[in-house]
């Protein structure tokens, strides 16, 4: 079990986390817009996340907190 | 459940102004993680450059000083020498700052083996001013001031800072890393930690060159910029340790 928490309003929608996830569990929410005007990243299937923190390591803006 | 990854304490809880996907943010975080892990936030003084990271003083929670363009190693020298036991001093500089206008300060701080830590962010361009050619721009690289690609016959060849400084007797430690993948980010952190530990141990000038991206002025997506590092930057700027005096002395024993 793992849990990701997104500081959504810090996200710049760069998508680096999306590519970093080995299980391809992240997406940019194209139907949402955050305070900065970006499509923020989110996790599609939390139950499949192994908590490897690859996304968080790759994120330039410290958006993602990982618990395991 | 336990927290396995979170924003380091030495990084302020405010949004950074860097462009989406710019790896300056990753490098800031690595420096802050190292400051946390070594427990030195209270005695660390960072010197910010002129360049995109000019406002680094807003992001690190340790004390910070803003230097005139290129002069960070000179200021770091003064701060460190004023109280060597109680100050941990680092500079954070781009390639325009460190290798162009500030080259003299860089070389002489290294030659003196000044006991400071230098984080050198090489993105092969002047980011802040809109993408002019830097001393590290690659042959053929298109920039605002080399619209047909950098012509070495006209502008000379890019400078490999680690290789050049490794010819000096002075410096203790020189390593080039990059942050374009999870594995490379882990290696970069190790190098940055060593560069701070060296200062704590009184060993002297430690510089980590981090090959970084500038998606905005390279004119590509953040993803393409990370690949461009592998395809174009690393062949000209090979990763690795260029000097490690302590390791050399150990090996000679
Ligand atoms: C004395 C002086 N000369 C020139 C400038 C203009 N200037 C500002 S930032 C910069 C170069 C920044 O490039 P770099 O150090 O590579 O950092 P980056 O923005 O790419 O992170 C220049 C030339 C200045 N601010 N001060
Ligand atoms: S890497 Fe960070 S800033 Fe970029 S999309 Fe993912 S969470 Fe957002
Ligand atoms: S201009 Fe380039 S170096 Fe500066 S913040 Fe944007 S992407 Fe980063």
């Amino acid at each position: 079990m793992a849990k990701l928490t997104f500081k959504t309003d810090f996200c710049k929608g760069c998508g680096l986390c999306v590519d970093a996830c080995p299980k391809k569990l992240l997406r940019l929410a194209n139907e949402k817009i955050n305070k900065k005007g970006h499509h923020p990243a989110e996790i599609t299937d939390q139950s499949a996340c192994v908590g490897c923190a690859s996304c968080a390591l790759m994120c330039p803006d410290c958006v993602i907190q990982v618990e395991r | 459940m336990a927290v396995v990854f979170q924003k380091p304490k030495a990084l302020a809880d405010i949004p950074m102004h860097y462009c989406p996907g710019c790896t300056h943010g990753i490098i800031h975080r690595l420096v802050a993680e190292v400051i946390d892990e070594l427990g030195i936030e209270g005695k660390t003084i960072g010197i910010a450059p002129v360049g995109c990271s000019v406002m680094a003083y807003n992001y690190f929670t340790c004390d910070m000083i803003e230097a005139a363009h290129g002069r960070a190693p000179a200021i770091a020298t003064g701060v460190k020498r004023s109280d060597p036991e109680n100050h941990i001093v680092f500079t954070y500089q781009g390639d325009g700052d460190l290798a162009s206008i500030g080259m003299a300060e860089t070389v002489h701080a290294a030659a003196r083996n000044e006991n400071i830590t230098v984080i050198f962010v090489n993105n092969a361009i002047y980011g802040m001013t809109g993408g002019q050619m830097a001393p590290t721009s690659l042959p053929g690289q298109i920039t605002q001031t080399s619209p047909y690609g950098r012509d070495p016959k006209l502008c000379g060849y890019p400078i490999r800072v680690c290789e050049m400084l490794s010819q000096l007797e002075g410096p203790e430690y020189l390593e080039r890393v990059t942050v374009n993948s999870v594995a490379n980010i882990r290696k970069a952190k190790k190098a940055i930690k060593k560069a701070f530990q060296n200062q704590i141990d009184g060993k002297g000038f430690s510089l980590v060159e981090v090959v970084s991206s500038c998606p905005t002025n390279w004119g590509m997506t953040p993803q393409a910029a990370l690949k461009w590092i592998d395809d174009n930057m690393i062949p000209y700027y090979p990763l690795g340790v260029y000097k490690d005096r302590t390791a050399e002395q150990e090996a000679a024993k």
Side-chain angles (χ1 to χ4, degrees), chain B:
Chain B
M1 280 196 289
V3 174
V4 291
F5 185 96
Q6 63 184 344
K7 180 194 74 60
K9 291 195 176 57
L11 204 59
D13 194 16
I14 49 170
M16 292 189 275
H17 70 281
Y18 300 110
C19 303
C22 172
T23 47
H24 262 303
I26 299 177
I27 304 165
H28 276 39
R29 189 191 75 228
L30 295 181
V31 171
E33 285 175 357
V34 165
I35 290 174
D36 278 3
E37 285 171 23
L38 295 173
I40 53 172
E41 196 251 315
K43 56 197 290 201
T44 299
I45 301 173
I47 319 292
V50 172
C52 282
S53 44
V54 66
M55 288 185 288
Y57 50 74
N58 283 334
Y59 306 139
F60 291 106
T61 57
C62 59
D63 285 335
M64 297 289 293
I65 297 173
E66 168 56 35
H69 204 7
R71 313 309 179 217
I75 296 195
T77 298
V79 174
K80 183 70 188 177
R81 288 189 180 203
S82 71
D83 192 355
E85 298 305 315
N86 293 309
H87 291 160
I88 302 295
V89 187
F90 76 94
T91 73
Y92 185 105
Q93 304 175 257
D95 44 83
D97 191 85
L98 179 142
S100 195
I101 191 167
M103 186 58 111
E105 282 76 6
T106 306
V107 172
H108 286 285
R112 295 191 305 269
N113 197 26
E114 210 62 59
N115 192 24
I116 59 172
T117 302
V118 175
I119 308 300
F120 167 34
V121 180
N122 179 3
N123 61 8
I125 204 143
Y126 289 4
M128 179 196 190
T129 43
Q132 294 80 8
M133 183 171 54
T136 49
S137 296
L138 297 174
Q141 186 178 337
I142 291 171
T143 71
Q144 291 289 327
T145 46
S146 58
Y148 306 108
R150 181 184 184 141
D151 177 2
K153 283 210 260 339
L154 193 66
C155 315
Y157 283 89
I159 299 171
R160 296 182 178 102
V161 169
C162 279
E163 287 86 333
M164 186 188 74
L165 294 180
S166 72
Q167 300 305 307
L168 297 169
E169 281 302 318
E172 161 70 23
Y173 171 60
L174 306 163
E175 178 163 357
R176 184 183 292 122
V177 296
T178 187
V179 287
N180 69 343
S181 68
V182 170
N184 283 336
I185 288 170
R186 290 189 206 279
K187 285 184 211 154
K189 181 168 168 191
K190 262 193 169 165
I192 291 171
K193 194 163 186 179
K194 182 170 168 126
F196 275 88
Q197 187 65 50
N198 281 348
Q199 184 179 159
I200 294 169
D201 298 341
K203 287 181 179 164
F205 188 90
S206 298
L207 177 147
V208 179
E209 174 175 345
V210 188
V211 176
S212 189
S213 73
C214 177
T216 300
N217 289 300
W218 292 357
M220 50 185 91
T221 63
Q223 291 75 6
L226 297 188
K227 185 165 186 304
W228 201 82
I229 289 179
D230 273 335
D231 295 346
N232 298 280
M233 293 285 281
I234 304 307
Y236 194 91
Y237 298 111
L239 305 180
V241 178
Y242 286 86
K243 188 152 191 223
D244 185 344
R245 187 178 12 245
T246 302
E248 284 157 26
Q249 285 168 350
E250 297 284 313
K253 269 182 199 164

Side-chain angles (χ1 to χ4, degrees), chain A residues 11-68:
Chain A
C11 176
K12 294 175 184 162
C14 69
L16 293 186
C17 57
V18 175
D19 287 1
C21 175
K23 296 173 80 80
K24 299 285 166 253
L25 297 174
L26 300 178
R27 69 186 276 267
L28 296 180
N30 285 321
E31 70 288 0
K32 293 181 192 159
I33 283 191
N34 69 4
K35 264 192 201 159
K36 281 186 162 294
H38 299 295
H39 299 306
E42 61 180 26
I43 181 146
T44 54
D45 182 1
Q46 184 64 73
S47 63
C49 172
V50 293
C52 69
S54 295
C55 56
L57 275 173
M58 206 64 222
C59 175
D61 290 277
C62 280
V63 171
I64 309 169
Q65 178 177 306
V66 186
E67 288 163 88
R68 194 170 53 206

